[in-house]
Amino acid sequence: MAKTKLRAIDIILLVVCIVLMFFSYQNIRKRKRINEVKDLPYKNVSLENVQDGIYTAKTETSFLNLKLQVKVENHKIEDIKVLERSEIRNFDEKVLLDKMIAENKAFVEVVKGQELASLVYITCLDSALAQGDSSLQKIEDDTELSANEN
């Protein structure tokens, strides 16, 4: 009888340890992803400065690789196409992309429950728009000139 009780306690402790290890792993993985998203480049492009054209950008993280193409006409986002995307579960990208087009900006409210994936999409679109941003190109040109003068 005592051995049976001891085995039951051992099994319970083993299960508790496994559950704690699983949640610890999930927590560490989530923190790593958060840090990874924090390090993505955000340019906060104003569409007023973006010239008409089609721009493409790629953003890679450990949990999502994404390549977007955006079409801009008259300082408005006309279309966003997903050219490449790694598999991500339960993410409705159409809602986010439609919101970006409707609000005419990259920085929109993230999809609840998929905040990190949403931020990857936002960063990728922002990077694509930066290619057509005349004000950013002017800053880069001025920086290059300053470096060449020295």
Side-chain angles (χ1 to χ4, degrees):
M1 178 97 169
K3 285 186 177 184
T4 308
K5 256 188 179 178
L6 188 58
R7 285 186 185 163
I9 291 172
D10 289 343
I11 291 172
I12 291 170
L13 286 175
L14 180 62
V15 169
V16 168
C17 285
I18 291 170
V19 168
L20 287 174
M21 287 173 52
F22 173 76
F23 283 114
S24 295
Y25 168 74
Q26 292 295 332
N27 189 24
I28 290 167
R29 195 173 100 185
K30 186 174 184 177
R31 275 190 274 143
K32 180 184 174 206
R33 289 178 174 184
I34 289 170
N35 288 332
E36 195 173 356
V37 169
K38 280 189 337 188
D39 292 339
L40 291 174
Y42 294 97
K43 296 173 180 62
N44 202 9
V45 174
S46 169
L47 274 153
E48 294 173 5
N49 300 322
V50 178
Q51 302 164 2
D52 289 357
I54 296 174
Y55 306 103
T56 304
K58 187 170 189 168
T59 301
E60 296 179 343
T61 65
S62 63
F63 60 95
L64 177 62
N65 295 325
L66 179 68
K67 186 175 184 180
L68 293 178
Q69 182 181 71
V70 59
K71 180 180 181 183
V72 177
E73 287 181 6
N74 298 319
H75 308 289
K76 294 199 182 297
I77 299 172
E78 293 295 325
D79 188 35
I80 304 170
K81 291 182 181 170
V82 177
L83 301 179
E84 295 173 19
R85 175 180 53 84
S86 56
E87 212 39 56
I88 187 160
R89 288 181 278 150
N90 304 323
F91 184 63
D92 189 4
E93 67 188 21
K94 184 168 176 16
V95 171
L96 184 66
L97 298 177
D98 288 347
K99 192 184 299 187
M100 291 170 161
I101 293 170
E103 295 182 22
N104 200 43
K105 58 184 179 179
F107 288 87
V108 295
E109 187 176 332
V110 297
V111 175
K112 187 173 173 115
Q114 291 291 329
E115 292 84 0
L116 296 178
S118 296
L119 290 171
V120 173
Y121 275 77
I122 288 168
T123 303
C124 192
L125 181 62
D126 187 53
S127 295
L129 292 171
Q131 295 174 18
D133 188 332
S134 56
S135 68
L136 287 178
Q137 291 170 357
K138 171 97 173 97
I139 290 169
E140 289 171 6
D141 290 345
D142 289 346
T143 304
E144 239 177 70
L145 285 174
S146 297
N148 289 336
E149 290 173 359
N150 293 331

